[in-house]
Amino acid sequence: MKKLLYIIICTVVFSSCTKEEKPIIISAENYHQTVDKITDIMVHDIFSPPVASRIYAYSNLAAYQIIRQENKDLIDLTSNFEELQPIPKADSITKVNLKLAALVAQMEIGKKLIFSEELLTSYRDSLYTSWKKTNEEEFNTSKEYGLEVAQHLSKWIDKDNYKETRTMPKYSVYSDDPGRWQPTPPSYMDGIEPHWPKIRPFTLDSASQFKPAPHPEFSLEEGTAFYDELIEVYEINKKMEEEGDEAEEVKIAQFWDCNPYVSTQRGHLMFATKKITPGGHWMGICKIASKKADLDFAQSSYAYTATAIALADGFISCWEEKYSSNLVRPETLINKYVDENWKPVLQTPPFPEYSSGHSVVSGAASIVLTKIFGEEFSFEDDTEVKYGLPVRSFKSFSHAASEAAVSRLYGGIHYRAAIENGLVQGKNLGNHVVKDLNLQPLTY
């Protein structure tokens, strides 16, 4: 009897020890899922494209700064960042699960920057429960380190001037100048984020560092460059309307819509359709590329973080030009001077026209992704499937960026100059990001 009791006690003790020593396994898929969760919450909260880019940049940077300690081949992306001190180092990498700590920091920073904290907290707590059951000591040590890094980065994040811009005055639209931007149907919303150029950039010397070539001088006289571009928008959209929804141009416009808030009016009822932002679409492309290349956790974090930084600086650069040019949208002029019943294929976003945000950030992101994955990296883009749109195929990131840019012409919301000059603006900025961060291609 005593011998049997001894065996039972030894078995229980041995099982307990074995459970405690079981390591917590975290894969690249866990990283992708966390980025997707933050994206879903941003869609829920209806963040504007510039604000969404800030959330992507900071949350991914928090994870990357931790996980790069595990892969010495990955560079420090923050060496040139203004006022950012190096993160605290883990006391012992043998005791800290750096992947777990990276996800903790990523979620903690994400939770700090979104509105619906409870949605991310619920997701986080489900992971915490699983990790804790697997190895409580490893979980606690790693979580503590992740929170320490998040707290360290939060102090730097709070100094980027975002909070100050929340209390700055709204954009004034009262003007007799016919070339100045005016709110557009159906909601006639105020111009969003007019003070975004005041946000601290990551790699730029100033928000105006990559100012695009000027748009054609405003004129409503036939034969002038500006008037020709205005009529081009009208005529392309009329032709698309005749061809119907099966026209390739319509499909391209809808695929790259990426308007986070499309308002629909039916009588006195107004409701919104929520979607990802342009930045969210390119982060989705980054995920597709990372999975195709079979990148590990640290490599995926590198790709996401570099892409997010390019997007964030792209929006700062673009918004500097938008609220400097203050150019009127095609819809306003066409309805007033050409055809009062005309409507664009896409809903016109609530901010000035020049330059095209899609063109700028797509150009920037495509340059960074090309540097990381290579020139001829083809992929199947299923980012929009969850919003009811089919997969589109691209032979390269540059191919995708060019289509994203021209989609704005097909959508009826931009003139050609904003698209073409914006794409150049974005690619110039992207090349600067590659150089400033010293980005290196990944071997996969």
Side-chain angles (χ1 to χ4, degrees), residues 46 58 110 129 154 156 185 201 246-247 270 277 287 326 330 354 369 406:
I46 318 178
Y58 286 137
T129 299
S154 291
W156 175 69
E246 292 306 308
M270 177 177 287
T277 62
K287 180 180 79 169
N326 284 312
Y354 193 81
L369 288 167
V406 78

Side-chain angles (χ1 to χ4, degrees), residues 67-84:
I67 198 59
R68 66 175 291 269
Q69 297 174 76
E70 192 174 271
N71 187 332
K72 299 303 180 184
D73 292 333
L74 295 180
I75 58 176
D76 180 7
L77 297 177
T78 67
S79 57
N80 294 331
F81 287 1
E82 183 181 339
E83 298 179 350
L84 177 59

Side-chain angles (χ1 to χ4, degrees), residues 162-187:
Y162 176 78
K163 291 181 179 178
E164 288 77 3
T165 61
R166 301 307 91 189
T167 58
M168 291 179 182
K170 291 183 178 182
Y171 173 67
S172 175
V173 298
Y174 299 104
S175 173
D176 294 330
D177 182 356
R180 184 180 172 89
W181 178 80
Q182 296 291 317
T184 49
S187 300

Side-chain angles (χ1 to χ4, degrees), residues 385-400:
V385 167
K386 67 189 302 181
Y387 302 105
L389 296 171
V391 175
R392 290 189 68 82
S393 301
F394 299 99
K395 61 185 180 182
S396 66
F397 300 113
S398 179
H399 177 204

Side-chain angles (χ1 to χ4, degrees), residues 9 47 64 119 124 153 169-170 190 213 221 278 298 333 337 356 369 401:
I9 292 173
F47 280 106
Y64 180 74
L119 296 179
R124 179 204 67 186
L153 290 174
K170 291 183 178 182
D190 291 332
E221 290 186 24
L333 296 180
Y337 299 105
S356 159
L369 288 167

Side-chain angles (χ1 to χ4, degrees), residues 344-359:
V345 171
L346 302 180
Q347 190 169 118
T348 302
F351 37 81
E353 192 271 346
Y354 193 81
S355 51
S356 159
H358 256 63
S359 301

